[in-house]
Amino acid sequence: MYQHFIRLSLMALLFVLAVHPASAQDEEKTPEKAEQEKGKKKGGFKDYADLITKDAITDDGLFKVHQVDEKYYYEIPFSLLDQDMLLVSRISKIAPGLGGGYVNAGSKTNEQLIRWKRMNNNIHLKAVSYNSVANDSLPIYISVQDNNYQPIIMAFKIEGFNPDSSAALIEVSDLFLTDVTAISGLSDRLRKAYKVKSLDKKRSFISRMSSYPENVEVRHDMTFSASEPPANSRTGTISLEMSQSMYLLPEQPMQARLFDKRVGWFTMRQIDYGSEALKADQKTYIRRWKLVPKDPAAYARGELVEPVKPIIYYLDPATPKKWRPYFKQGIEDWQVAFEAAGFKNAIIAREAPTDDPDWSPEDARYSTVRYVASTTRNAVGPSVSDPRSGEIIESDIIWYHNHLRSYRNRYLLETGAANPSARTLNTPEAEIGEMMRRVISHEVGHALGLPHNMKASYAYPTDSLRSASFTQKWGLAATIMDYTRYNYVAQPEDKGVRWVRMLGPYDNYAINWGYRYIPGADSPEAEKTTLNQWISDKAGDPMYLFGSGNPYDPSSQTECVGDDPILASTYGLKNLKIVAPNLARWTTTDGEGYEDLEELYGELLGVWSRFSSHVVANIGGVYERFKTTDEEGVTYQHLDKAEQEEALDFLLENVFTTPEWLLQPEIISNISASGSIDRIRSLQTRQINNLLREDRLKRMVENEALNRTKAYTMTTMMKDLRAGLWSEVAKKEPIDAFRRNLQRSHVARLEKLMKDDQAERSDISAVVRAELKAIQRLAKNAAGQYKEGIVQYHLQDIDAMVETILHPLPVGTK
């Protein structure tokens, strides 16, 4: 009976299906809905073939990347989840004027350690920090992890898996097409400056995505709406092309080397909570390439040994052929320094292969020197380093084409008086090549881990730079990492001297200190005794001092040469006084305009100003010598009174008097209708403001408090300055337009000092008030002694200016 019922039911069902071949639900299904459901698997994942279609553009490397129409996918192997990677964000193409000249194409905007991490059916991109660390065997490790929870940059839904289920597919388009702060090219400062509103997704796009064995590269355009863009204001738009470089870091970090500030290195910092110190111990490590000897036994015997993996730089194919030999020399000049560290052939220059279609300068396995067609006058030596250990992974030196012009101009201005071959706009090719070689060496030095060392020029006696034998052997400074570009000290009678910088003894010393392999030292702490001994061996020798450059130390000034800034600037000005009257003849060409002359004249004024700044640094100056507690002497020492007095005498004679030698009629009458007075005023005002900096005056006050009779006091300096700047008034001599401007600038600077010091009411206020009163008396008493005219009016105006400063009208008074 039951079986009979079943047969009847099946017959009825078949009858219904015959009449209605599709269910009501099937009738409502659209073609689009059917396509969406096609390929769906358990868990909502799609089939690989439906995601990565036959039309996909795929690139395989660290992991596969895919472009399917306007969608971009990462195919991330599960083996790479939770692996440390480094994400470096750079601006690859920049809007004109963005950053006011301090940001260029190639500028790094962020560098962060990241990990890809699976969370259920999502992949998270997380930012990781090694700023706080502890050994994972210690109990405090748990607390370090809990108090340094990793932020999520972006979460991605897993769309599907590759055929063998060893990798997850995620669509990453939104990472590059939305305004993700972690990889943006615009900082908060720039957003505020240009009143950026938002990223316009419709005008943003991914232009390229490539995968290499050790890194993934993405190029994407970001277009922002802005009320006040730096250029093309009517568009209300800022567009950038961003470069995102993601590097796989070594599974086992290189052993780090502890930093010592007595030797200059780029660094990275960690706070070690597992340290035995009774505090959270901040440790600083240097940034360097990993060099390990192929033959440790031979290395230990003191033989030169090749490294397992040398540092290799490839020349950009865009580099003009005539400059390539100089670029190669600039790179391989560092081989001598590495030999001091026990390595031979440690750094090698090669031309990029033109017959290998797979070779790319963006491949992290290759470091390059790129030649960029740009009007930027600069060269840079950035590098990418592992934040866990300081190991430099890769580096791209960038040479901007117009940097040649900067060096030609400086060569003419600073050496032309004594160097006949510099007296032209067409500098001989070999000499330009030599300059380029040394610039490349300087930038490679940065990429090796070395910062600027501005104290290196102070290692050499100033008069020794006039000696051919000395300069040809030792160069112009103890390191190529100083900004000692040219020998502006040598005089016309000095023959055979070296004009251009080169590597020096400090370079060998620093590379040995940072790169020498120390057998048996299996931790950073185990190396410390040896490293300290190497520094102690050179203690007291100025060739091995380090100073990064600061405004208060006259022995650590940028662009300076020699150990006596006053003498060096005296020689430099003597040369400029030869260059100035010849500048028009050396820089003009028949049939051409005066644009080159105008450019060179502007730079000539800049050189004069720079020489002046070097001398200003002596006043209120403090020598800085980094020391450890076991060394003799002090770290900070004020300059002698006599040195400071000599510096002010130089300024009064050479800077604050009217520089008639700069006012060359042949130049002035051909470059502009007016402006000479304003140019000189600007330069002299800059030095007045520099001399009367608040921090400088405070150092003088402190020096007087500590050293009393040995100090050059702020009061004395102010009186000496007033006597010099207002000497015509005391002598009832004519005061020219340049001098009148300088006197107004003097009063204006005193006014600013008084206003800035109102809250503190320090000794600065007291001395400034007394100075203003003295100037007012001087001007008031002298005004009637001059005949009616501009000088009398000027002195009357000074009287009124000071009166307003000392007795301002109440707020709201008209």
Side-chain angles (χ1 to χ4, degrees):
M1 182 72 181
Y2 179 76
Q3 291 176 339
H4 177 69
F5 174 77
I6 292 297
R7 283 197 297 271
L8 290 174
S9 299
L10 288 171
M11 290 175 63
L13 178 60
L14 291 171
F15 176 79
V16 171
L17 291 173
V19 176
H20 304 287
S23 68
Q25 182 178 1
D26 288 338
E27 288 179 335
E28 295 173 1
K29 184 184 294 181
T30 64
E32 289 81 7
K33 188 167 184 178
E35 183 65 27
Q36 289 174 359
E37 290 189 358
K38 180 183 177 183
K40 274 200 173 182
K41 303 175 76 174
K42 185 178 180 180
F45 302 119
K46 296 181 182 179
D47 283 332
Y48 187 85
D50 294 322
L51 290 168
I52 310 303
T53 67
K54 59 182 177 59
D55 296 323
I57 300 172
T58 298
D59 196 20
D60 196 3
L62 179 62
F63 53 73
K64 290 181 179 179
V65 298
H66 309 277
Q67 179 185 355
V68 183
D69 296 325
E70 295 184 358
K71 292 184 177 181
Y72 290 82
Y73 295 91
Y74 279 176
E75 185 177 319
I76 303 181
F78 294 129
S79 61
L80 290 181
L81 295 180
D82 298 309
Q83 295 294 307
D84 286 343
M85 299 184 183
L86 193 66
L87 180 58
V88 181
S89 302
R90 296 187 183 93
I91 300 174
S92 51
K93 294 182 181 178
I94 191 169
L98 186 76
Y102 295 97
V103 182
N104 296 309
S107 292
K108 188 187 302 181
T109 60
N110 200 7
E111 184 175 310
Q112 54 196 320
L113 197 146
I114 60 165
R115 289 183 192 146
W116 298 96
K117 194 174 186 68
R118 183 171 182 177
M119 182 61 68
N120 300 321
N121 291 335
N122 294 285
I123 298 290
H124 291 174
L125 176 61
K126 306 197 78 173
V128 182
S129 173
Y130 275 84
N131 290 340
S132 299
V133 297
N135 191 298
D136 58 10
S137 65
L138 298 174
I140 199 171
Y141 175 78
I142 299 171
S143 179
V144 169
Q145 298 302 303
D146 290 345
N147 287 282
N148 291 275
Y149 191 64
Q150 303 159 359
I152 298 172
I153 296 173
M154 186 169 276
F156 305 88
K157 175 187 174 185
I158 297 177
E159 304 289 343
F161 303 94
N162 68 341
D164 66 0
S165 298
S166 64
L169 277 166
I170 59 173
E171 188 192 345
V172 295
S173 305
D174 279 349
L175 176 62
F176 307 108
L177 298 179
T178 54
D179 195 1
V180 179
T181 304
I183 64 171
S184 175
L186 293 183
S187 63
D188 288 341
R189 179 183 66 82
L190 293 178
R191 289 170 188 262
K192 290 177 182 177
Y194 304 126
K195 297 185 178 178
V196 173
K197 300 173 184 176
S198 61
L199 179 75
D200 186 347
K201 192 171 184 178
K202 293 181 179 178
R203 291 184 287 167
S204 301
F205 55 91
I206 299 170
S207 56
R208 186 164 59 81
M209 192 176 282
S210 304
S211 189
Y212 302 96
E214 297 174 5
N215 62 299
V216 173
E217 297 289 324
V218 178
R219 292 288 186 279
H220 61 110
D221 280 47
M222 305 182 78
T223 297
F224 298 87
S225 297
S227 298
E228 298 180 5
N232 301 312
S233 58
R234 290 188 178 182
T235 65
T237 295
I238 298 174
S239 289
L240 304 169
E241 183 186 74
M242 293 298 298
S243 161
Q244 309 293 346
S245 306
M246 185 170 62
Y247 305 85
L248 178 65
L249 295 176
E251 187 172 346
Q252 179 63 43
M254 177 188 75
Q255 179 173 301
R257 178 158 290 183
L258 285 165
F259 170 67
D260 190 309
K261 63 182 178 181
R262 293 172 293 175
V263 187
W265 284 88
F266 291 127
T267 62
M268 40 90 55
R269 291 183 175 85
Q270 291 179 354
I271 297 177
D272 185 359
Y273 286 91
S275 169
E276 293 297 322
L278 300 178
K279 62 178 181 178
D281 194 7
Q282 178 172 289
K283 293 182 178 178
T284 304
Y285 302 106
I286 68 173
R287 298 177 185 264
R288 57 179 181 149
W289 298 79
K290 184 178 182 179
L291 291 186
V292 178
K294 280 184 179 179
D295 186 341
Y299 188 90
R301 292 193 300 269
E303 299 176 25
L304 288 180
V305 175
E306 291 186 343
V308 173
K309 184 179 179 182
I311 303 164
I312 301 175
Y313 276 97
Y314 292 87
L315 299 190
D316 186 345
T319 308
K321 289 184 178 180
K322 65 180 179 180
W323 303 133
R324 292 180 189 180
Y326 299 106
F327 278 30
K328 287 182 179 179
Q329 283 182 303
I331 296 166
E332 294 186 347
D333 279 341
W334 285 98
Q335 287 187 353
V336 174
F338 279 105
E339 287 174 4
F343 292 101
K344 66 179 180 182
N345 300 323
I347 184 166
I348 300 168
R350 292 178 182 167
E351 294 200 23
T354 55
D355 57 352
D356 183 356
D358 295 327
W359 190 93
S360 170
E362 292 172 352
D363 190 329
R365 293 173 298 169
Y366 307 122
S367 293
T368 62
V369 177
R370 299 197 188 190
Y371 195 99
V372 179
S374 168
T375 58
T376 300
R377 293 191 184 185
N378 201 4
V380 294
S383 60
V384 174
S385 57
D386 186 339
R388 305 167 305 172
S389 66
E391 178 185 356
I392 296 174
I393 299 168
E394 66 92 32
S395 159
D396 291 301
I397 310 298
I398 300 175
W399 173 281
Y400 297 100
H401 178 73
N402 266 24
H403 204 33
L404 287 168
R405 193 176 185 92
S406 296
Y407 275 81
R408 178 205 67 182
N409 291 358
R410 290 280 297 274
Y411 191 55
L412 186 155
L413 295 171
E414 296 186 23
T415 77
N419 178 13
S421 65
R423 300 167 187 168
T424 175
L425 295 180
N426 301 309
T427 312
E429 185 177 304
E431 293 175 43
I432 285 288
E434 173 69 5
M435 298 173 212
M436 296 177 78
R437 169 187 177 182
R438 303 307 175 175
V439 176
I440 292 298
S441 287
H442 179 93
E443 301 306 335
V444 169
H446 284 319
L448 295 175
L450 303 180
H452 291 133
N453 180 6
M454 301 307 182
K455 201 174 283 286
S457 56
Y458 207 77
Y460 294 168
T462 300
D463 273 322
S464 293
L465 298 174
R466 300 184 61 185
S467 164
S469 59
F470 183 91
T471 56
Q472 295 298 346
K473 178 180 180 180
W474 297 102
L476 311 184
T479 174
I480 193 76
M481 304 313 297
D482 201 331
Y483 268 170
T484 306
R485 292 182 173 90
Y486 297 116
N487 184 353
Y488 61 76
V489 162
Q491 298 297 292
E493 62 269 25
D494 304 329
K495 306 302 180 184
V497 297
R498 183 173 182 82
W499 302 111
V500 181
R501 61 184 169 172
M502 66 184 215
L503 273 76
Y506 175 87
D507 298 308
N508 298 347
Y509 165 71
I511 291 297
N512 176 73
W513 192 92
Y515 280 97
R516 179 168 284 279
Y517 185 71
I518 305 177
D522 58 0
S523 71
E525 289 73 22
E527 295 182 335
K528 194 170 181 180
T529 299
T530 300
L531 295 172
N532 189 62
Q533 185 59 52
W534 290 343
I535 299 174
S536 297
D537 290 344
K538 304 295 186 184
D541 190 331
M543 287 190 184
Y544 304 104
L545 294 176
F546 173 74
S548 58
N550 57 58
Y552 59 79
D553 183 354
S555 69
S556 190
Q557 297 296 301
T558 181
E559 312 282 356
C560 199
V561 297
D563 64 351
D564 185 338
I566 299 173
L567 181 58
S569 291
T570 299
Y571 284 134
L573 286 180
K574 285 179 68 176
N575 283 334
L576 289 185
K577 289 176 181 179
I578 295 172
V579 171
N582 289 290
L583 192 61
R585 182 165 57 86
W586 293 347
T587 61
T588 52
T589 305
D590 290 347
E592 301 290 340
Y594 290 95
E595 291 78 10
D596 286 322
L597 177 60
E598 182 176 5
E599 179 182 315
L600 267 294
Y601 182 67
E603 293 189 28
L604 174 67
L605 297 178
V607 174
W608 172 59
S609 181
R610 191 158 51 244
F611 292 167
S612 304
S613 296
H614 295 159
V615 177
V616 172
N618 276 28
I619 300 173
V622 178
Y623 292 124
E624 181 180 63
R625 303 282 192 274
F626 295 130
K627 293 180 181 293
T628 53
T629 55
D630 57 316
E631 292 182 280
E632 295 182 358
V634 297
T635 304
Y636 299 100
Q637 181 179 348
H638 290 271
L639 267 71
D640 291 340
K641 178 179 179 181
E643 291 179 283
Q644 299 184 58
E645 290 175 329
E646 184 184 359
L648 187 62
D649 289 341
F650 175 94
L651 295 173
L652 291 173
E653 181 179 348
N654 297 286
V655 181
F656 297 141
T657 54
T658 301
E660 301 284 354
W661 59 275
L662 280 173
L663 304 174
Q664 298 293 325
E666 191 175 1
I667 298 175
I668 303 300
S669 59
N670 282 308
I671 64 173
S672 62
S674 63
S676 295
I677 290 178
D678 287 340
R679 288 190 195 96
I680 301 302
R681 176 178 185 167
S682 175
L683 293 169
Q684 290 184 323
T685 298
R686 182 185 304 169
Q687 299 310 327
I688 278 284
N689 293 346
N690 186 10
L691 176 60
L692 299 179
R693 284 171 53 121
E694 185 178 9
D695 61 328
R696 190 183 310 282
L697 300 179
K698 285 184 175 180
R699 290 194 299 273
M700 298 184 80
V701 171
E702 183 168 323
N703 188 24
E704 180 182 6
L706 297 175
N707 296 300
R708 295 183 176 85
T709 57
K710 295 181 180 179
Y712 186 41
T713 68
M714 174 179 59
T715 303
T716 304
M717 187 273 287
M718 288 284 203
K719 288 180 179 178
D720 292 344
L721 180 63
R722 169 166 41 91
L725 297 184
W726 300 84
S727 60
E728 298 94 336
V729 178
K731 300 174 183 176
K732 302 180 183 61
E733 295 176 347
I735 309 174
D736 65 29
F738 300 95
R739 190 72 160 183
R740 295 195 297 270
N741 278 338
L742 180 60
Q743 291 170 350
R744 292 188 192 100
S745 295
H746 183 207
V747 173
R749 183 61 185 176
L750 292 174
E751 177 184 17
K752 188 174 188 309
L753 283 171
M754 177 172 281
K755 287 181 178 179
D756 291 348
D757 196 52
Q758 280 180 343
E760 279 190 49
R761 301 292 294 181
S762 71
D763 285 348
I764 293 176
S765 294
V767 173
V768 166
R769 182 178 296 275
E771 280 300 304
L772 285 168
K773 286 182 176 180
I775 291 170
Q776 184 180 34
R777 285 194 302 270
L778 199 63
K780 184 177 292 187
N781 293 338
Q785 299 176 18
Y786 286 88
K787 293 181 180 180
E788 185 174 293
I790 189 60
V791 174
Q792 185 183 86
Y793 303 153
H794 164 68
L795 293 173
Q796 290 171 345
D797 187 50
I798 292 292
D799 179 16
M801 282 178 64
V802 175
E803 183 65 23
T804 302
I805 296 168
L806 296 176
H807 305 99
L809 293 172
V811 177
T813 303
K814 295 184 179 179

